[in-house]
Amino acid sequence: MRFARLSSCLRSALTVGAALSALFVAPSAMAQAPTAASAAVVAAPAGSGPGLWVVQDEDSTLYLFGTIHALKPETPWGTARMDQAFASADEYWFEVADLDDQAGVIALMQTKGVSPDRPLSSLLTAEEVADLDAAARSIGASAAKLDSLRPWLASLQLALASINKAGYVANNGGDQVLHARAAATGKPIKGFETAIQQFGFIADMPEDTQLAMLRSGLKEFDQADVMLNRMVTAWSTGDVDGLDVLIGQEAKTESPELYDAIFTRRNETWADQIQTLLAGSGTAFISVGAGHLAGADSLQSKLAQRGITATRITD
């Protein structure tokens, strides 16, 4: 579950960072706020760039763009076609409209993320606890400090730590940059979900699935750089099939429950919302994680099941 776990947890891991700092640990790597992104122009990649799709009817134009939620500062991904589509929009849609709902996130973590009576050390082997301690110490924490966390929250902590360790920064993430750019326009910003809903998809998974996520994170902690580099290369060059192999197909095979919770059910709900949006009028730019726009259960496929065609823009 290498790429699948990391990519599917990425948005939630970045959102949880500051809240985790407030509750449990306070290393500098956890202090990156996802809402402080720059709206500056992004450099163009050497190839065609990330995929962009459009859905249209007589009076509506909806653009679909996939992002990676954290990127290295030097990553090029800007394209003229994306800039033009973005500028033409009357409103902007993201997975979450408010990227900094720390109060709500902290409340959820306190109710669903902490379990002192069922500590992690009682669910993991001695070797896994040692691995957890080694990973935690690289970010200024320890297994003891994380012992009261439920497996899903510890998994997000590790995902965030491995992302930061690999040099990927939340502020450079595609949706953070586009959110800042959208805010600068003064146009409406809307979200398919709330941050609380996003955490719920993970927090409400069976404990066995949560533990599988955590164990995968422990095994892969030092491999995030290689994993993310391959994922970003596929995304930034518009290799949708490659993204599907790295994210969707792996998740579906190794953890059907995680795949269903993170991709299938959410894409179904988003497709319903887009169908409603299409019934209105105007132009919207829709930005979601790139994994949602790849594979048999992609957002485009869910729209097709509703008789709505998403056409890829290639020039």
Side-chain angles (χ1 to χ4, degrees):
M1 211 177 353
R2 296 174 300 167
F3 292 95
R5 180 200 61 80
L6 200 57
S7 62
S8 62
C9 294
L10 200 50
R11 171 72 267 155
S12 295
L14 295 172
T15 305
V16 83
L20 278 168
S21 298
L23 285 177
F24 307 110
V25 295
S28 59
M30 299 297 104
Q32 297 179 49
T35 55
S38 168
V41 175
V42 179
S48 60
L52 176 69
W53 291 260
V54 65
V55 173
Q56 291 179 301
D57 65 10
E58 295 81 4
D59 57 358
S60 300
T61 298
L62 312 179
Y63 294 101
L64 305 178
F65 183 74
T67 64
I68 300 295
H69 300 308
L71 294 169
K72 292 183 177 180
E74 67 273 15
T75 303
W77 56 272
T79 64
R81 64 174 179 271
M82 188 273 289
D83 289 340
Q84 291 166 2
F86 192 88
S88 71
D90 303 311
E91 62 184 31
Y92 301 97
W93 284 76
F94 296 90
E95 291 186 24
V96 174
D98 181 3
L99 298 182
D100 197 27
D101 180 15
Q102 292 301 319
V105 171
I106 289 174
L108 181 140
M109 288 195 303
Q110 290 173 328
T111 57
K112 293 191 175 185
V114 183
S115 181
D117 59 335
R118 193 170 171 78
L120 283 175
S121 55
S122 70
L123 304 175
L124 301 174
T125 66
E127 182 180 357
E128 288 168 343
V129 172
D131 289 341
L132 177 62
D133 189 63
R137 288 187 182 282
S138 73
I139 57 168
S142 66
K145 286 184 179 180
L146 304 182
D147 202 33
S148 64
L149 301 188
R150 301 297 300 128
W152 71 268
L153 188 52
S155 181
L156 293 190
Q157 172 77 80
L158 288 183
L160 178 62
S162 62
I163 290 163
N164 288 332
K165 184 179 179 182
Y168 283 78
V169 182
N171 291 354
N172 294 318
D175 46 346
Q176 287 89 339
V177 170
L178 293 177
H179 195 284
R181 197 178 289 180
T185 70
K187 298 175 183 177
I189 296 176
K190 301 180 180 181
F192 289 116
E193 303 164 343
T194 66
I196 303 307
Q197 286 175 313
Q198 286 201 339
F199 281 109
F201 299 137
I202 300 175
D204 294 336
M205 289 191 302
E207 184 174 83
D208 287 349
T209 304
Q210 295 181 35
L211 284 169
M213 287 174 54
L214 178 57
R215 290 182 173 117
S216 179
L218 289 171
K219 292 177 182 178
E220 301 155 11
F221 185 76
D222 293 322
Q223 303 172 35
D225 193 19
V226 173
M227 297 178 191
L228 286 167
N229 285 348
R230 290 178 61 188
M231 187 168 64
V232 169
T233 297
W235 165 72
S236 64
T237 58
D239 183 3
V240 180
D241 291 338
L243 274 178
D244 181 39
V245 171
L246 295 173
I247 301 174
Q249 292 181 28
E250 186 178 325
K252 185 181 287 188
T253 300
E254 297 195 24
S255 182
E257 298 89 351
L258 177 63
Y259 180 87
D260 184 59
I262 298 300
F263 294 106
T264 306
R265 282 184 278 162
R266 294 170 73 203
N267 284 351
E268 289 276 4
T269 301
W270 295 354
D272 287 340
Q273 294 181 69
I274 290 173
Q275 185 173 26
T276 299
L277 188 59
L278 189 64
S281 60
T283 301
F285 189 95
I286 298 168
S287 173
V288 297
H292 293 279
L293 301 179
D297 296 299
S298 65
L299 187 52
Q300 302 96 308
S301 296
K302 299 303 181 185
L303 290 171
Q305 293 171 8
R306 292 157 175 76
I308 300 170
T309 300
T311 302
R312 187 165 183 176
I313 300 174
T314 58
D315 53 17

